[in-house]
Amino acid sequence: MELFSTDRDYKSLYTPGSIQPHGVLLALSEPELLILQVSNNTQTYLGRKPQDLLAQPLSFLFDSTQVEIIKQYLLEDCSGVNYLKLFIRTDEDGQFFDGFIHRTKNSVILELEPIGSANTLSFGNVHNLVREAIAKLKLTSNLKDFLQLATEKTRKITGFDRVMVYQFDQHGAGEVIAEAKQEELSPYLGLHYPATDIPEQARELYKRGLVRVVPNLKAQAIELVSIENAKNHPLLLNLSLSVLRSVHPCCVEFHQNMGTAAIVVISLIKDEKLWGLISCHHQTPKNITGEVRSACEFLGQFISSELANKVIQEEVDYKAKLESLRSEVIESISQADNFIDALIQPEPRLLDLVGATGAAVCLDDEITLVGSTPELEDVWELINWANTQVKESVIYTDSLSKLYPKAKTFKDTASGLLLLQISKVKQYYILWFRPEVLSTVSWAGNPNESIKVEADGSVTLCPRQSFEQWQQTVRFTSEPWKLSEIDSAFALRNAIVGIVLKKAEELAKLNQELERSNQELASFAYASSHDLKEPLRGIYNYSTILLEDYACVLDEDGIEYLQTVVSLSVRMETLINTLLRLSQLGKAEINLQATNLNQLLNEVINVFDASRQQAQFHIHIPRPLPTVQCDSVLMGEVFSNLIANALKYNDRAEKWVEIGYVDEEEWERGRVGEGSQRCGRVSRLGATGVETRGKYFSASSEASLHLNLLASSSQSPITFYVKDNGIGIQKHHLETIFKLFKRLHSQEKYGGGTGAGLAITKKIIERHGGRIWVESSVGEGSTFYFTLE
């Protein structure tokens, strides 16, 4: 691990001007292969002083066969470091070397490490160990077990005291996620390291050079000698790919503080990025052979390729699970009548869709909570905040309090938030929550010790003195959201939008079909009813003629039969007229205009007064009715039908009907009928204050106009009602009474009738965009309510 404090230190990583002492470095010109620069230890390994080698051709050291081998390597792809075996004959005898050759921008670098340890493993042994390791690694599917096995096999191949897998996070900090070690060593497994331990420039070196070997961290670095030294212009040699590159002093001190004397670092690359390192530590100086180095590089490449597969497989399996859940949710939504029910049931499915512990579904002013969530009021405030923040369809955070400080008050349920905006027009959201995870991060020593602030304010990175476990508690943070979970939420939104659009298209098509069918049905009903009237008149007329002109030749039964025919033809004509009326309502355009309902109601009541002069009834109007947009003729028919029914189905000696309205606030307070109790027996509004036929006029026209203006200027929805003290309706008949020709009593009771009045009334209200319903108590009376759009 390489530490430094300034830009100059950054550059010194690449051009340190020195190497480790366990080998020799030669910098060669190309294509001549003249020696331009050497390490100042050639006498030890090659038996020749540096000055004797500078400006000499490479053939000065190697025979022609080996020079040709080196040239052949250079003719081939030499973008990385190539390994070869070389031999140099010295005055005493000769020496075999592990050779490493690579090309830089300005020269060719040849590095030589002598071979000569009796304790080194043979090539066959190394090959067998690598083959065994790969075979067992291939059989391990779980990522955690795979990495643990990788450390154990790497330790067996290298013989080092400790081998760790060190994984980088998105910020460059790292964690030891697997470890194999001698029993007496303190564990590093689970410890975290700050990004300053391996800065970005050092990570870039590890990415380029797949294996880094430092046999002795205490060894003195060897300077490079250049032919320009005499002129004080040494050649700056780029050693970023050098296997012998010297170690930065901070890195030396860092590892010595850990009790480490030798290291081997193997890079793990995933998706062309440095994913992590296999870091090998030894308590005493220890070198590895070229075969072992090659084995480590090969094993590292295999682990990297398998690592990508293992990570991808885990992601694929989890993603497949999320896709399966999402398919279930989408299918439920597409087939259900209630969107929320389909989304939240069964409850775990919505939560598992993104790995959450709680959720809130918001559709305008309705919120449904699922699982462990903040209080409803907190969710409302969070949505109001989100309305000002959301610019994308999906937002997510694992530390909501950083964006929304109030979230600290409900950290136990919602430290993490994943918010899905379904509609940009309406307030349609799905919010998923995750609780706070009190994570205790165990650092290898206090990470703050690696940063030193100087008196002038400059910052210097330096190695920490202690690597004892140092714990830091992280608050107000949840488990982070995975990319697959975010993608799942986004895919759900797209699916919901698609379902809505499809249903809208289906509804539009269905409406067109219904409209066409209704038009055809109305035309058929009109034509059929109109055509039926002519033969019906013939039946009526001929029956009447028979009764008038041939009664003398008929017996009593014959006369009774003809009278029945006449009666039935009259009823049939009434039914046909009703059908004609309904078909006309469906075909004709309604004439909407501002209508003073008080004047309209006066006209309707006048008709009842004229036709029921002997009847005792009272019509109450607690307060002036508003002016509304409606078809005055049709609305007059509505009031006429409702009043007629109220008086017809009433067996009391004193009958009364109350007509009024309530707004939205009055609905909440339950004020229907309160006006009549307060004002007493009051009738329709008139222009005078005189009494007429036992009904009282209680409001002046000026007051009426003022109240009408107030009512018409109100934007609150208005519900009208017609209330009576009649016989009432049984509960199971409350819906059927609006059906055509539906009568609850026989023709002989309550004055007969076709049973079409309420059906016509319902049709008129629906043509105005409203609805009608009834509330009733048997023996006490009924109240018909209706709204107008």
Side-chain angles (χ1 to χ4, degrees):
M1 299 180 185
E2 317 221 9
L3 296 172
F4 37 84
S5 58
T6 64
D7 287 340
R8 183 177 178 181
D9 286 331
Y10 293 164
K11 294 176 182 178
S12 70
L13 279 177
Y14 305 108
T15 58
S18 61
I19 65 169
Q20 298 178 69
H22 62 278
V24 177
L25 183 144
L26 307 174
L28 312 172
S29 66
E30 195 174 13
E32 300 89 354
L33 298 184
L34 295 177
I35 301 174
L36 304 177
Q37 197 168 8
V38 297
S39 54
N40 198 13
N41 60 350
T42 55
Q43 182 67 49
T44 302
Y45 295 109
L46 306 180
R48 292 176 174 83
K49 296 180 180 180
Q51 292 79 8
D52 296 336
L53 297 174
L54 291 173
Q56 295 293 336
L58 191 59
S59 57
F60 185 73
L61 285 174
F62 299 97
D63 60 33
S64 59
T65 301
Q66 294 187 97
V67 171
E68 285 303 317
I69 291 173
I70 293 171
K71 287 182 177 179
Q72 189 63 37
Y73 269 94
L74 294 175
L75 288 175
E76 298 173 358
D77 179 22
C78 198
S79 56
V81 178
N82 289 277
Y83 170 72
L84 64 163
K85 290 285 187 180
L86 295 172
F87 175 81
I88 295 179
R89 185 166 298 281
T90 62
D91 293 337
E92 298 179 358
D93 191 1
Q95 176 68 55
F96 283 96
F97 292 90
D98 285 328
F100 305 91
I101 187 169
H102 71 277
R103 181 182 282 113
T104 70
K105 183 177 180 180
N106 300 317
S107 60
V108 172
I109 294 179
L110 176 62
E111 298 172 272
L112 305 171
E113 292 186 14
I115 303 172
S117 173
N119 296 324
T120 57
L121 294 170
S122 68
F123 174 78
N125 287 338
V126 173
H127 176 75
N128 289 336
L129 289 174
V130 172
R131 185 174 62 181
E132 176 198 1
I134 290 176
K136 290 189 175 181
L137 286 169
K138 282 183 176 179
L139 297 176
T140 309
S141 58
N142 180 273
L143 178 61
K144 181 179 179 181
D145 295 340
F146 175 82
L147 295 175
Q148 181 59 38
L149 182 61
T151 61
E152 294 169 3
K153 294 304 179 183
T154 304
R155 181 167 181 254
K156 188 173 183 179
I157 292 171
T158 61
F160 272 56
D161 295 333
R162 185 198 306 269
V163 177
M164 302 168 286
V165 173
Y166 180 89
Q167 181 184 1
F168 294 104
D169 65 15
Q170 57 183 338
H171 305 296
E175 178 187 2
V176 177
I177 59 174
E179 181 182 44
K181 65 178 183 65
Q182 288 187 356
E183 290 185 4
E184 66 272 13
L185 295 178
S186 299
Y188 287 167
L189 183 64
L191 295 184
H192 291 70
Y193 293 77
T196 51
D197 278 4
I198 309 179
E200 183 179 354
Q201 289 76 8
R203 294 197 296 272
E204 181 62 28
L205 283 176
Y206 284 127
K207 179 183 174 183
R208 297 180 63 190
L210 299 182
V211 178
R212 171 72 160 152
V213 179
V214 182
N216 187 354
L217 284 159
K218 295 182 179 180
Q220 186 67 39
I222 303 298
E223 297 293 327
L224 299 181
V225 180
S226 171
I227 59 176
E228 285 98 351
N229 271 355
K231 302 178 182 179
N232 294 321
H233 294 295
L235 176 66
L236 290 176
L237 201 59
N238 187 332
L239 299 181
S240 57
L241 291 180
S242 167
V243 299
L244 292 173
R245 185 182 73 248
S246 61
V247 187
H248 195 281
C250 278
C251 179
V252 173
E253 185 179 352
F254 180 91
H255 284 93
Q256 286 180 342
N257 292 342
M258 298 177 74
T260 301
I263 61 172
V264 172
V265 182
I266 306 168
S267 302
L268 299 178
I269 310 296
K270 176 180 174 290
D271 299 329
E272 300 183 358
K273 295 180 181 179
L274 185 66
W275 182 89
L277 304 170
I278 299 177
S279 186
C280 310
H281 292 190
H282 207 68
Q283 297 174 88
T284 58
K286 181 179 178 64
N287 200 359
I288 58 175
T289 65
E291 288 85 358
V292 173
R293 185 199 304 266
S294 296
C296 288
E297 182 173 347
F298 179 75
L299 189 60
Q301 290 176 334
F302 171 78
I303 292 172
S304 292
S305 64
E306 287 296 302
L307 172 69
N309 293 336
K310 295 293 187 295
V311 173
I312 290 172
Q313 188 59 50
E314 283 197 348
E315 293 173 351
V316 166
D317 290 344
Y318 186 55
K319 189 174 181 180
K321 175 187 173 184
L322 297 183
E323 288 178 351
S324 176
L325 289 171
R326 189 171 65 250
S327 297
E328 292 178 14
V329 173
I330 293 170
E331 184 177 1
S332 297
I333 294 173
S334 64
Q335 296 178 358
D337 295 328
N338 188 297
F339 170 76
I340 294 181
D341 287 347
L343 194 60
I344 68 174
Q345 302 210 358
E347 181 177 302
R349 189 172 62 185
L350 177 63
L351 304 181
D352 292 343
L353 195 62
V354 295
T357 55
V361 180
C362 174
L363 299 181
D364 281 337
D365 58 351
E366 180 183 358
I367 291 182
T368 303
L369 301 180
V370 179
S372 178
T373 69
E375 296 295 329
L376 184 61
E377 183 179 350
D378 292 325
V379 175
W380 271 123
E381 293 180 4
L382 180 59
I383 290 174
N384 291 334
W385 168 81
N387 285 332
T388 65
Q389 301 294 318
V390 177
K391 294 182 176 60
E392 302 294 335
S393 298
V394 177
I395 62 172
Y396 59 93
T397 176
D398 58 4
S399 185
L400 179 58
S401 60
K402 290 182 180 179
L403 305 176
Y404 181 62
K406 191 175 179 181
K408 289 182 178 180
T409 61
F410 46 82
K411 59 182 177 58
D412 293 335
T413 54
S415 285
L417 171 69
L418 172 55
L419 183 145
L420 180 67
Q421 184 186 50
I422 299 175
S423 171
K424 294 183 180 296
V425 178
K426 294 191 174 183
Q427 189 170 263
Y428 288 2
Y429 293 112
I430 301 177
L431 296 84
W432 286 280
F433 306 111
R434 281 180 176 172
E436 176 187 44
V437 176
L438 273 178
S439 56
T440 301
V441 180
S442 299
W443 296 93
N446 188 338
N448 299 321
E449 290 182 359
S450 63
I451 301 175
K452 181 180 179 182
V453 181
E454 306 293 346
D456 60 357
S458 62
V459 176
T460 301
L461 302 181
C462 55
R464 299 193 303 281
Q465 299 300 313
S466 172
F467 290 88
E468 292 296 322
Q469 187 179 95
W470 185 85
Q471 293 187 331
Q472 176 188 23
T473 301
V474 178
R475 302 292 307 275
F476 308 112
T477 302
S478 73
E479 288 289 339
W481 302 97
K482 296 179 181 179
L483 180 60
S484 55
E485 293 165 342
I486 298 164
D487 290 342
S488 181
F490 193 77
L492 176 65
R493 176 192 180 274
N494 291 342
I496 291 173
V497 171
I499 290 171
V500 171
L501 291 176
K502 183 178 180 181
K503 283 188 176 291
E505 183 178 344
E506 291 174 353
L507 285 173
K509 185 177 181 181
L510 182 60
N511 284 336
Q512 290 178 351
E513 290 295 322
L514 286 174
E515 185 176 354
R516 181 182 61 79
S517 298
N518 286 338
Q519 289 175 351
E520 292 176 354
L521 185 60
S523 298
F524 173 77
Y526 182 83
S528 299
S529 301
H530 186 271
D531 293 344
L532 283 173
K533 293 184 74 172
E534 183 177 351
L536 188 61
R537 286 195 199 96
I539 295 171
Y540 175 83
N541 292 335
Y542 281 111
S543 297
T544 303
I545 291 172
L546 287 173
L547 284 173
E548 290 177 356
D549 297 343
Y550 298 91
C552 59
V553 297
L554 296 174
D555 58 15
E556 291 183 4
D557 288 341
I559 293 173
E560 184 179 349
Y561 293 153
L562 282 175
Q563 288 174 340
T564 300
V565 171
V566 172
S567 176
L568 290 176
S569 64
V570 171
R571 175 165 171 73
M572 185 65 176
E573 184 175 17
T574 304
L575 294 176
I576 290 173
N577 288 334
T578 300
L579 285 174
L580 283 171
R581 179 68 181 130
L582 280 173
S583 64
Q584 289 169 347
L585 285 174
K587 293 175 63 177
E589 292 292 331
I590 60 174
N591 181 25
L592 294 178
Q593 57 184 350
T595 302
N596 186 324
L597 294 183
N598 302 290
Q599 295 177 1
L600 176 65
L601 201 50
N602 279 339
E603 296 171 2
V604 172
I605 294 174
N606 283 334
V607 174
F608 278 95
D609 287 342
S611 62
R612 298 176 181 232
Q613 294 186 10
Q614 304 303 318
Q616 291 297 317
F617 67 91
H618 304 286
I619 297 178
H620 310 282
I621 304 176
R623 57 176 171 169
L625 300 178
T627 295
V628 297
Q629 289 286 330
C630 68
D631 187 310
S632 59
V633 175
L634 296 180
M635 194 53 56
E637 193 170 351
V638 167
F639 281 117
S640 180
N641 286 339
L642 293 177
I643 294 172
N645 277 355
L647 297 177
K648 178 192 294 186
Y649 298 102
N650 195 319
D651 55 6
R652 297 178 186 269
E654 185 176 342
K655 305 175 183 180
W656 59 260
V657 179
E658 180 181 313
I659 302 171
Y661 71 94
V662 288
D663 57 27
E664 191 172 30
E665 293 180 0
E666 290 171 329
W667 262 118
E668 296 176 0
R669 297 197 301 269
R671 285 187 55 186
V672 177
E674 182 180 323
S676 61
Q677 297 170 6
R678 184 179 62 252
C679 300
R681 195 174 62 166
V682 183
S683 77
R684 66 193 186 282
L685 298 176
T688 64
V690 299
E691 179 180 352
T692 175
R693 285 206 301 274
K695 305 180 185 68
Y696 301 92
F697 302 101
S698 62
S700 68
S701 58
E702 183 179 355
S704 172
L705 178 61
H706 178 66
L707 289 171
N708 283 338
L709 290 174
L710 287 176
S712 63
S713 64
S714 173
Q715 298 300 313
S716 299
I718 297 176
T719 301
F720 297 93
Y721 67 88
V722 177
K723 183 177 182 181
D724 64 58
N725 66 337
I727 62 174
I729 306 168
Q730 293 183 358
K731 186 175 181 180
H732 62 278
H733 288 312
L734 294 180
E735 291 296 330
T736 59
I737 60 172
F738 293 103
K739 294 182 178 179
L740 184 62
F741 303 141
K742 181 66 177 179
R743 283 182 51 81
L744 305 184
H745 309 280
S746 64
Q747 286 288 329
E748 293 75 21
K749 295 186 67 175
Y750 302 107
T754 63
L758 288 178
I760 292 174
T761 300
K762 183 174 182 288
K763 183 74 172 180
I764 294 172
I765 296 299
E766 289 175 347
R767 288 300 309 276
H768 282 78
R771 67 188 186 96
I772 184 170
W773 69 100
V774 63
E775 295 178 2
S776 183
S777 297
V778 176
E780 297 181 10
S782 303
T783 304
F784 285 83
Y785 298 96
F786 66 88
T787 61
L788 300 176
E789 187 172 290

